[in-house]
Amino acid sequence: GAGVSQSPSNKVTEKGKDVELRCDPISGHTALYWYRQSLGQGLEFLIYFQGNSAPDKSGLPSDRFSAERTGGSVSTLTIQRTQQEDSAVYLCASGYRPTLDTQYFGPGTRLTVL
Amino acid sequence: GNSVTQMEGPVTLSEEAFLTINCTYTATGYPSLFWYVQYPGEGLQLLLKATKADDKGSNKGFEATYRKETTSFHLEKGSVQVSDSAVYFCALSSGGGADGLTFGKGTHLIIQP
């Protein structure tokens, strides 16, 4: 079946602009995760959704970052007023019960902030 | 908090050599442990997992055993191939999926023919 998809695959933006990154999880997966992969920080967990709800947003790097999920499916990660340090690959993953801790990753969105 | 430590490499081996990539962890409770692999130009793929002490995960000739007494989950393969060249990430989950995965920094493995 189809895996996790993310769009766009690449995004180049100017400092100060807002960007939206999209994730389509595997159909039927109730859990959805966002991560950031950067050279300096490795892989960082950002946020987890169970259904449309995100119980803990403390992993988001700053208040410029927000995420939402609708219909228990598609999720968007929004970065407002982008900064150069936001440049990274943003990864989305999904999972399902009972093996909720096994996550299936999308190909990522490479964000470059000039 | 949770943390994972692994050798960062690059690790360079000849084809058919024996591979060990060390991974140790710190976690609350009884985490599940994972190895993920990222081949050049591709996304992260689950390689193997173990969910309780003494479990052995295996896939594609790779193995790792969950050692609670040494808090380790070392990855091994008896005979590596050029196609195994990739970045390998050790990871853990201690919240049953609710807290995301904690990853190590990744180990870049290069296999020379």
Side-chain angles (χ1 to χ4, degrees), chain B residues 51-100:
Chain B
T51 58
K52 60 183 188 296
D54 300 324
D55 266 2
K56 179 186 285 187
S58 61
N59 187 23
K60 299 182 180 180
F62 291 89
E63 292 183 340
T65 301
Y66 189 143
R67 300 286 187 203
K68 192 170 188 301
E69 64 275 14
T70 54
T71 60
S72 65
F73 192 54
H74 304 321
L75 183 68
E76 296 182 336
K77 186 174 185 181
S79 176
V80 292
Q81 306 300 313
V82 172
S83 57
D84 293 327
S85 298
V87 181
Y88 292 80
F89 293 89
C90 185
L92 70 83
S93 171
S94 65
D99 59 353

Side-chain angles (χ1 to χ4, degrees), chain A residues 33-36 44-46 89-91 103 105, chain B residues 100-101 103:
Chain A
Y33 308 81
W34 283 98
Y35 294 84
R36 180 167 70 173
E44 304 170 81
F45 166 66
L46 299 180
V89 176
Y90 290 82
L91 296 172
Q103 297 173 25
F105 282 81
Chain B
L101 292 166
F103 284 91

Side-chain angles (χ1 to χ4, degrees), chain B residues 5-6 13 25 29 36 38-39 44 51 64 78-79 86-87 103 107 109:
Chain B
T5 302
Q6 62 179 112
L13 295 173
Y25 68 89
Y36 278 83
Q38 191 170 33
Y39 297 103
L44 272 171
T51 58
S79 176
V87 181
F103 284 91
T107 300
L109 177 65

